[in-house]
């Protein structure tokens, strides 16, 4: 990804990570509800999971929308233009700072979920749905870390650097 076009990297994030989140966030929400209903009495810590996960979901869904409809189109335009486009938000760094802040918030929520689930450890007596939920949360964490890495460490710095090479029209 260090040498791919920024448009290709945006496409990859959308087609891989955003598609994954759009599929998994609703599925995991339902699974968490089932697990809390079935195991909450014996594992009262589970009652903290739905609001934590809802906060993560409520952060990520509008986050993806902003990337898909504001930031990524701006990055694609920047890459395809000889001059620096005039963005309504000023420099490309402005929405990037917001996205990075939201990444931090999502990372904090994931850390709390990991802690609450004892590093996704399956407790004795866990049903298959409980096991699948923990596995799904662990997979979500891994995917989100890769997603954030691609953006924070590759896409965003390259977009900011590219904007610095463009002459304001």
């Amino acid at each position: 990804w260090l040498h791919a076009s920024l448009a290709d990297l945006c496409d990859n994030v959308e087609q891989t990570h955003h598609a994954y989140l759009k599929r998994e966030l609703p599925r995991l929400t339902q699974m968490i509800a089932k697990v809390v209903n079935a195991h909450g009495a014996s594992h009262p810590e589970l009652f903290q999971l739905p609001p934590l996960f809802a906060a993560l979901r409520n952060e990520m869904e509008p986050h993806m929308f902003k990337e898909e409809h504001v930031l990524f189109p701006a990055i694609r335009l920047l890459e395809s233009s000889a001059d620096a486009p005039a963005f309504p938000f000023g420099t490309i760094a402005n929405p990037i700072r917001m996205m990075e802040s939201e990444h931090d918030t999502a990372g904090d929520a994931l850390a709390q979920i990991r802690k609450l689930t004892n590093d996704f450890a399956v407790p004795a007596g866990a049903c298959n749905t409980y096991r699948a939920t923990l596995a799904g949360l662990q997979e979500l964490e891994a995917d989100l870390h890769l997603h954030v890495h691609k953006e924070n460490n590759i896409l965003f710095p390259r977009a900011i650097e590219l904007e610095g090479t463009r002459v304001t029209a």
Side-chain angles (χ1 to χ4, degrees), residues 76 82 85 146 169:
R76 289 179 181 107
L146 181 56

Side-chain angles (χ1 to χ4, degrees), residues 17-63:
H17 304 290
H18 288 192
Y20 172 80
L21 287 170
K22 289 174 183 177
R23 181 180 66 248
E24 289 301 303
L25 291 172
R27 185 180 81 88
L28 286 169
T29 298
Q30 292 178 341
M31 292 174 70
I32 288 167
K34 288 179 184 177
V35 168
V36 170
N37 187 47
H39 297 275
S42 57
H43 297 280
E45 70 278 3
L46 288 174
F47 289 107
Q48 298 171 57
L49 192 54
L52 275 175
F53 192 77
L56 174 65
R57 184 175 176 181
N58 291 338
E59 182 77 22
M60 292 311 301
E61 288 174 336
H63 175 89

Side-chain angles (χ1 to χ4, degrees), residues 119-160:
D119 293 326
F120 309 111
V122 177
C127 67
N128 287 338
T129 302
Y130 199 159
R131 292 173 187 279
T133 300
L134 292 172
L137 289 169
Q138 189 168 21
E139 182 180 287
L140 177 80
E141 180 189 60
D143 183 80
L144 202 51
H145 282 289
L146 181 56
H147 173 177
V148 168
H149 166 72
K150 285 179 183 176
E151 291 180 355
N152 285 9
N153 300 318
I154 303 170
L155 177 62
F156 296 166
R158 287 184 60 204
I160 290 169

